[in-house]
Amino acid sequence: MSLHNFKARDHFRHNVYPSPFHSRQKELNRLQEWSRWADYLSVPAYYSDSLEYFAARNTCGVFDLTPMIKHRITGPDALPYLNRLVTRDVTKIKPGRVGYSVWCTDRGQVIDDGTIFHLADGDYRVCSQEHQLDWFLTSALGFDVTVVDETHEVAALAVQGPTSCALLKRMGLTGVENLTPFGLAHFPFEGTELTVSRTGYTGDLGYELWIAPEHAEKLWDRLFDAGAQHGIRPLGSQALDMLRIEAGFILAGVDFLPAQQAVRPTHTRSPFELGLGWLVDFKKPVFNGRRALLQEKEEGSRYRLVKLDISGNKVARDSYVYDRKQTIAGTVTSAMWSPSAKASIALATLEMPHGEPGEELQVEIYYKRELKWSKVLAPCKVVDRVFWDPPRKRQTPPADF
């Protein structure tokens, strides 16, 4: 499909878009399977989720980020507006920097999490899993600020893995090696501007590239040409899910239910219950959910999100977690066999007071082999650190490969 037709699509008549990178993805998608992410077609796996996972851990994997919801926030009150909207202190995110944050209802329940890109004075981009335009516009009342959904105006690729910096330098992005984690910079590219941020969802060395859709195919081609000697491979969503679990990153709709989607308000979570209390800054005089979160801090939370190291090699997907008295203590939200940790690992929501590091529990795992279902109660332990956190993630400049 030509770019002209892509731009001309009517959002209200065609509810699934091909990505600006679709022509290149289609050529590499050997499995010919497609899924939907927000308004776009997405690739679950190009050829093998396991091999794609290893590419991102050992060389470089490229994931299409275009479907991520992107909002542009500009105007004289952009900073005070964001500081009112989210829980962290946005004044600490200086121009040329990126910050992770969450935003909450007045009850202190998480609506979504995302990244805030400070592009220039009074100019921000907020990226999130879910559409947030209604909430952002409602929250803008009284502020001199403009909020625009620019999802379709920005194409993006995540370039993740130990050789990612080397191939970006080979592509001609001089100085990209000087970017520190959560930094961003702008580079000239084929007559336009390419924005590069040292961010990602893999817990490894990696970058995210942002460009206008009409230059998307050229970016893909230049990237893969430069990466030919650096083990570059396309990366599907299934492999990305494995990578983010090892890194301890949460996913909306999987590890927590966005507050605006909940039918039962007791099924939502606060930042403290997701292990994100460090993102709540009570030094700010006012922000959405401040009063409720202050009360929770004083009285205690209902739940705790933890990381589990599980005995054996069975994946504890959607499992119950039991304490020593064989009472249900919580549920597993994300699980996998980790090739890097050589262990069965999981993220789980436990009822308080469970979840202190070192606590020994059990998970109830059901698995099927040759049409026969079996059950095992596997011992597990709550661990404090994530399962993948290599030094190269922070090293500046990164090692050259």
Side-chain angles (χ1 to χ4, degrees), residues 72 79 82 88-101 114-127 175-186 195-200 206-208 210 278 393-396:
R72 194 67 167 264
L79 176 56
L82 284 170
R88 74 173 296 167
D89 186 356
V90 184
T91 63
K92 296 180 179 179
I93 307 174
K94 303 301 181 182
R97 300 294 297 171
V98 184
Y100 175 58
S101 192
T115 45
I116 302 173
F117 290 71
H118 194 168
L119 303 174
D121 287 334
D123 188 1
Y124 297 84
R125 175 181 295 144
V126 179
C127 298
V176 69
E177 69 275 11
N178 298 322
L179 271 180
T180 57
F182 292 96
L184 64 88
H186 308 283
T195 300
V196 178
S197 57
R198 189 169 169 178
T199 50
Y207 301 82
E208 292 173 341
W210 314 81
W278 59 278
K393 174 183 175 181
R394 293 168 290 275
Q395 184 180 351
T396 305

Side-chain angles (χ1 to χ4, degrees), residues 71 73 81 84-85 103-106 111 131-148 260 288:
H71 296 89
I73 297 169
Y81 162 74
R84 173 69 171 79
L85 178 74
W103 44 97
C104 300
T105 65
D106 288 342
I111 296 174
H131 286 281
Q132 301 293 338
L133 188 59
D134 288 349
W135 181 260
F136 284 4
L137 288 175
T138 300
S139 301
L141 293 175
F143 291 97
D144 185 1
V145 67
T146 300
V147 182
V148 177
Q260 290 181 316
N288 288 355

